Amino acid sequence: MMDRIQKALTEKGKKAFVPYIMAGDGGLETLKEKLLFLQECGADAVEIGIPFSDPVADGPTIQEAGIRALSRGTTLRKVLEKVQTFKPEISIPLILMTYLNPLVAYGLEKFSEDAAESGISGCIIPDLPLEEEDFILPALEEHEISLISLVTLTTPVERIKEIGSKATGFIYAVTVTGITGARNDFSEDLAAFLSSIKSVSRVPVLAGFGVSNAEQVREVCKHCDGVIVGSKIIDLFEQGDLAEIKRLVSTSEGVSLT
Amino acid sequence: MTTNTYDLPDEKGHFGNYGGRFVPETLMHAVLELEKEYNRALADEEFHADLQKLMKDYVGRETPLYLAGNLTEHAGGAKIYLKREDLNHTGAHKINNTVGQALLAVRMGKRKIVAETGAGQHGVATATVCALLNLECVIFMGKEDIRRQQLNVFRMELLGAKVISVDAGSGTLKDAVNEALRYWVTNVRDTHYILGSVMGPHPFPKMVRDFQSVIGKETKQQFFEKEGKLPDALVACIGGGSNSIGLFYPFIEDNSVSIYGVEAAGLGLATDKHAASLSKGKPGVLHGAMMYLLQDEDGQIQEAHSISAGLDYPGIGPEHSYLHDINRITYESVTDDEALEAFQLLSKLEGIIPALESAHAIAYAVKLAAGMSKDERIVVCLSGRGDKDVQTIKDRIGGGME
């Protein structure tokens, strides 16, 4: 049976576009308008970043957005409380991207309960590999929150198979060997990498890390089911360039389904 | 206390609830490969022979176990022995680990090395073995630490390493680890990360412990030769916890030996300027492992403070976290002022200028010895020499030609 995220990413019959925003960047009071705007632009789901003091998987753009959010007093608890207030107005899945420690501090059971209550459909935890998943999986499963798995260019074939066979929601294919942030070009192996994940995954495969313009969105979408764009969306919100966000979000629609 | 057979970590790198491998997927392959290669090396006599040869002829082991007579007399209680890790090549215990890991990197065909450093001792020890084995070396160091450890920065550069300043956060060890991890994520295919303490993802806490436990193994034998028995107590300072676990590990199952780890209390535990992760922190996940961390109620990691750059870290290795919980080791703390006093005390009484880190252990040992009887004996790990700290001390207490 398809979970909520899987369904949202496939039911429109187009390549998916999932933007990432940092909760609390620009003030938590802007979260609602940003989410409604992205929903209206046609985003198929939104990743909400939870700021963390030591984001080792993130590049400068997301690090700085996190520092701005923390300086405004953003906490996981406040984010969940805020989302709860406008939950009925959001019809696309919301996925939290958070490092593990804020969840540990919150309490894994309590977090899963409160996140579900706020309508959160999934979690991406960049410092939680397959080996440690049992740490939180039972709590998330109990509340029907998908744990999104990451696959990277350094993941061996056998491991991709193992991750692919267990994945829920979608598989997050990390398109660069590195941290988040805009890049000029991708590895030549990218097409083969994405195809190899597609061939073993029972859920959609979305590519992210370093995707920052329409051309890259179109290129990456040829080989998988959609894209995640983070740093670029953060920059555009920071510059107030909503028109460009709208254009970028709609780019994936034009890529024909393979 | 049930430590009669102690065989942690388990195969997934857990010490009870602590440890593990909480790293981005990009690093998992490298971490698993490192574990395999380390296990192969452990079973390979050639690796042990290469390591021992370097430890003896290059590092200068074994280091002496020295009865500090004047310090003992000053304290007025138990006899105080110093395990002289300050006499290693490069002036601290750090090289015990870097030699081992650099040999592993070469076995894995990785010719590029990245490392973090706080006080600069680990950076120097890493740059040193990289020079010896012709490996490319990049060291990340916090801006504040670069300021207070200028001499070590220059030493690393002399040895051919590239030192990169980290401005983020408080510009200290935690921030340097973040940047080193980001660099490793980006360059993992041809780069080995020589982590400098018993922290990070499995197998680092185990591997670094194993390399450092040469301290405790030598101590045990030397002490037996001198005294014909086991010491009554062991004392070592703790930042991440590598010199301490190195001394303690071979004694873990010897329940008659009391073991004391000394954290940095900075300006005092009642202030928010300290680095006492066990006394004031709670369990959480940072830099690849579950361990005690200084953090706020929302799980944001707090900045540590210590006059000593090597103890200025908001976490404590997973094995220490576990040994704390099962009460095998007693963790105490010593303030900046107490460490400064001990720094001068050891210099004047014994003609040994200790590292500020090690001065924390000395300060506690003097207090401990005073409360023990004259037929009892303490071994203190003198983890490094203090040349690097002389400028800091001079700025703090004044002195020199007026």
Side-chain angles (χ1 to χ4, degrees):
Chain A
M1 203 186 74
M2 277 197 183
D3 57 54
R4 220 179 123 194
I5 297 173
Q6 225 178 319
K7 201 158 162 259
L9 296 179
T10 51
E11 69 186 359
K12 291 193 210 158
K14 70 169 190 79
K15 301 285 182 167
F17 190 103
V18 177
Y20 168 103
I21 56 173
M22 174 62 76
D25 185 16
L28 207 47
E29 62 280 4
T30 67
L31 185 60
K32 178 183 173 182
E33 60 184 272
K34 282 181 181 168
L35 288 174
L36 289 175
F37 173 72
L38 291 168
Q39 176 169 270
E40 196 187 300
C41 289
D44 300 285
V46 179
E47 254 186 55
I48 302 176
I50 302 298
F52 181 51
S53 52
D54 298 85
V56 295
D58 286 305
T61 303
I62 295 182
Q63 285 180 45
E64 282 156 25
I67 290 168
R68 290 195 296 268
L70 287 173
S71 72
R72 286 174 177 267
T74 310
T75 66
L76 175 56
R77 187 174 308 276
K78 287 182 191 167
V79 174
L80 292 179
E81 280 166 9
K82 180 61 83 179
V83 173
Q84 167 104 44
T85 62
F86 53 80
K87 177 171 119 178
E89 296 169 67
I90 305 286
S91 57
I92 55 175
L94 300 180
I95 300 159
L96 294 185
M97 170 113 172
T98 174
Y99 290 84
L100 191 53
N101 202 52
L103 305 184
V104 175
Y106 200 107
L108 302 178
E109 280 295 329
K110 183 80 176 112
F111 161 74
S112 304
E113 191 185 327
D114 291 356
E117 189 65 30
S118 294
I120 301 299
S121 302
C123 274
I124 302 170
I125 308 174
D127 53 354
L128 186 78
L130 191 60
E131 282 72 7
E132 305 289 349
E133 269 182 14
D134 288 348
F135 188 73
I136 190 171
L137 205 52
L140 292 178
E141 278 175 348
E142 194 193 325
H143 296 280
E144 294 178 6
I145 296 172
S146 303
L147 180 61
I148 308 299
S149 307
L150 292 102
V151 170
T152 70
L153 289 161
T154 58
T155 309
V157 176
E158 280 308 307
R159 191 173 164 90
I160 293 180
K161 276 187 199 158
E162 194 185 347
I163 293 171
S165 69
K166 292 181 182 170
T168 56
F170 66 91
I171 285 186
Y172 193 137
V174 178
T175 49
V176 296
T177 301
I179 52 181
T180 59
R183 299 285 197 293
N184 289 327
D185 48 72
F186 291 107
S187 148
E188 288 168 12
D189 309 333
L190 188 63
F193 166 66
L194 293 173
S195 311
S196 73
I197 307 172
K198 283 276 300 167
S199 69
V200 296
S201 176
R202 51 184 210 146
V203 295
V205 176
L206 270 59
F209 276 42
V211 184
S212 62
N213 60 44
E215 194 190 331
Q216 288 174 335
V217 170
R218 280 191 287 268
E219 176 59 27
V220 168
C221 276
K222 277 189 212 160
H223 311 293
C224 63
D225 303 303
V227 288
I228 299 153
V229 179
S231 297
K232 185 67 186 177
I233 297 283
I234 285 174
D235 280 342
L236 290 171
F237 268 122
E238 178 77 357
Q239 294 154 17
D241 193 348
L242 299 185
E244 183 56 28
I245 293 177
K246 193 163 182 164
R247 269 196 295 279
L248 197 55
V249 173
S250 63
T251 321
S252 67
E253 283 174 33
V255 182
S256 60
L257 288 172
T258 42
Chain B
M1 196 163 63
T2 52
T3 53
N4 290 328
T5 48
Y6 182 85
D7 56 358
L8 295 176
D10 67 17
E11 62 183 21
K12 292 179 92 178
H14 292 128
F15 301 87
N17 293 328
Y18 302 100
R21 285 175 284 217
F22 295 95
V23 289
E25 173 64 19
T26 301
L27 292 181
M28 273 313 295
H29 181 62
V31 163
L32 293 169
E33 181 193 30
L34 176 63
E35 184 188 357
K36 258 189 241 160
E37 192 55 46
Y38 179 54
N39 287 334
R40 271 199 291 266
L42 283 180
D44 181 352
E45 283 179 20
E46 201 185 322
F47 177 78
H48 290 284
D50 289 349
L51 182 60
Q52 273 185 357
K53 188 166 186 300
L54 282 175
M55 287 299 222
K56 180 169 183 287
D57 298 339
Y58 188 71
V59 176
R61 300 206 73 93
E62 62 181 26
T63 59
L65 181 67
Y66 166 70
L67 173 60
N70 298 339
L71 189 68
T72 298
E73 200 177 313
H74 170 85
K79 269 192 199 173
I80 302 173
Y81 281 91
L82 304 178
K83 178 60 173 166
R84 298 290 308 274
E85 292 301 300
D86 60 319
L87 294 176
N88 284 322
H89 178 42
T90 73
H93 70 291
K94 292 291 186 186
I95 199 163
N96 299 332
N97 167 47
T98 60
V99 168
Q101 285 202 46
L103 287 178
L104 272 181
V106 171
R107 282 174 69 104
M108 291 186 291
K110 293 190 167 178
R111 309 290 306 180
K112 295 181 182 175
I113 298 296
V114 61
E116 84 295 338
T117 196
Q121 290 304 102
H122 175 58
V124 167
T126 302
T128 297
V129 292
C130 287
L132 177 70
L133 299 173
N134 191 27
L135 305 173
E136 206 178 302
C137 180
V138 174
I139 306 285
F140 286 92
M141 186 168 185
K143 190 167 82 173
E144 167 65 11
D145 289 342
I146 285 182
R147 186 191 66 72
R148 52 184 170 175
Q149 300 290 348
Q150 272 299 326
L151 196 58
N152 270 344
V153 176
F154 186 58
R155 288 167 82 194
M156 286 183 266
E157 288 171 350
L158 276 177
L159 292 160
K162 184 174 171 190
V163 181
I164 300 179
S165 171
V166 179
D167 296 352
S170 54
T172 61
L173 184 53
K174 167 178 87 103
D175 312 292
V177 177
N178 287 343
E179 277 312 305
L181 279 169
R182 290 186 185 113
Y183 181 92
W184 196 31
V185 168
T186 308
N187 298 280
V188 64
R189 290 173 196 274
D190 61 0
T191 303
H192 173 63
Y193 181 10
I194 299 191
L195 233 166
S197 194
V198 284
M199 39 179 264
H202 180 62
F204 284 105
K206 173 184 191 298
M207 187 174 68
V208 177
R209 175 198 75 193
D210 291 351
F211 287 138
Q212 291 294 359
S213 62
V214 65
I215 302 172
K217 280 180 203 154
E218 285 179 8
T219 298
K220 205 168 191 175
Q221 195 184 339
Q222 290 168 319
F223 192 89
F224 195 82
E225 282 162 12
K226 289 180 197 293
E227 298 276 357
K229 56 178 184 168
L230 289 167
D232 298 290
L234 304 176
V235 178
C237 67
I238 299 191
S242 73
N243 90 83
S244 51
I245 209 80
L247 173 65
F248 300 165
Y249 181 61
F251 294 92
I252 294 281
E253 294 180 359
D254 300 317
N255 286 334
S256 68
V257 181
S258 301
I259 304 181
Y260 300 90
V262 184
E263 295 191 292
L267 302 184
L269 294 187
T271 72
D272 60 358
K273 300 271 185 214
H274 57 75
S277 315
L278 280 175
S279 312
K280 305 294 272 188
K282 59 182 182 187
V285 173
L286 182 71
H287 296 153
M290 172 75 81
M291 57 185 172
Y292 274 86
L293 291 170
L294 297 178
Q295 54 181 316
D296 68 16
E297 58 180 13
D298 296 303
Q300 306 296 340
I301 310 305
Q302 291 169 324
E303 287 169 5
H305 168 87
S306 168
I307 190 172
S308 112
L311 302 182
D312 208 344
Y313 184 72
I316 181 161
E319 188 161 19
H320 283 293
S321 297
Y322 173 76
L323 292 166
H324 167 265
D325 281 9
I326 65 164
N327 291 319
R328 173 60 186 105
I329 296 182
T330 306
Y331 292 87
E332 302 284 352
S333 65
V334 155
T335 63
D336 286 355
D337 287 343
E338 291 172 302
L340 274 169
E341 200 179 308
F343 182 95
Q344 297 167 79
L345 188 70
L346 194 71
S347 301
K348 285 184 183 139
L349 287 180
E350 297 288 351
I352 298 171
I353 300 178
L356 262 174
E357 291 76 15
S358 322
H360 286 72
I362 299 292
Y364 184 73
V366 168
K367 283 196 270 189
L368 182 68
M372 291 167 72
S373 75
K374 290 193 173 178
D375 56 4
E376 291 181 294
R377 288 135 182 86
I378 300 173
V379 175
V380 185
C381 186
L382 191 67
S383 55
R385 67 176 184 225
D387 309 43
K388 69 186 174 61
D389 296 313
V390 168
Q391 187 65 47
T392 304
I393 307 292
K394 183 167 180 291
D395 293 346
R396 183 70 177 253
I397 64 176
M401 302 287 282
E402 298 298 333

